[in-house]
Amino acid sequence: MWTTEYRAETTATAEQVWAALRDLHSGIPLGPNSDTFELHGPFAVGTEVSVTPQGQDTLRSRIVELEPGRVYADRTEFGGIVLTFRHTLEALPTGTAVTHRLEIDGDGADQVGPELGPQISSDFPVAMDELFAAALGAAVRPA
């Protein structure tokens, strides 16, 4: 298995960050650099999501973990490789810390990960900035 993660903090509350994260994964772009998501069912574990990264072909993912206000994870499988993207939210006295983790597993992950992983995760800082901007500008909506 190969992993990487990016962690950042915001003054937005965990509820605000969660609302923006839910919006993004439900198909509402957060900014000009957002990947495109199309939810195929409820925002719940087991639901499939079409994900179109900027300038790339659409992939099909499945929500594999969902704890409102705490954790969102989806998994994409292709060519024997499994990509798991996980956002973990941690409430802080001054706002929220978010960790965006990528795990690459499956056949040849140790060989493919060091090349593919940095390509995939290179936009994590920009995506996090858009997530935080949307969280700070958005009213909290009920889950």
Side-chain angles (χ1 to χ4, degrees), residues 16-67:
Q16 289 171 304
V17 175
W18 182 258
L21 190 62
R22 184 184 65 230
D23 284 352
L24 175 64
H25 289 88
S26 296
I28 300 170
L30 301 182
N33 297 302
S34 294
D35 293 343
T36 303
F37 292 82
E38 181 183 355
L39 201 56
H40 301 284
F43 187 65
V45 170
T47 297
E48 290 192 347
V49 181
S50 293
V51 182
T52 308
Q54 292 276 327
Q56 297 179 35
D57 292 333
T58 300
L59 302 168
R60 197 77 161 199
S61 294
R62 181 176 306 278
I63 299 172
V64 294
E65 190 175 358
L66 190 71
E67 294 178 43

Side-chain angles (χ1 to χ4, degrees), residues 1-4 64 74-86 101-117 120:
M1 179 177 4
W2 185 93
T3 65
T4 189
V64 294
D74 61 50
R75 183 168 293 145
T76 304
E77 299 181 29
F78 67 93
I81 297 293
V82 179
L83 306 174
T84 302
F85 296 88
R86 178 174 287 106
R101 180 179 175 91
L102 167 63
E103 299 172 359
I104 300 177
D105 209 352
D107 298 334
D110 292 336
Q111 290 76 37
V112 173
E115 182 178 341
L116 182 62
I120 293 171

Side-chain angles (χ1 to χ4, degrees), residues 116-136:
L116 182 62
Q119 292 173 10
I120 293 171
S121 63
S122 66
D123 72 341
F124 282 10
V126 171
M128 191 80 75
D129 287 346
E130 286 188 345
L131 176 67
F132 290 167
L136 287 167

Side-chain angles (χ1 to χ4, degrees), residues 9 142-143:
E9 295 180 11

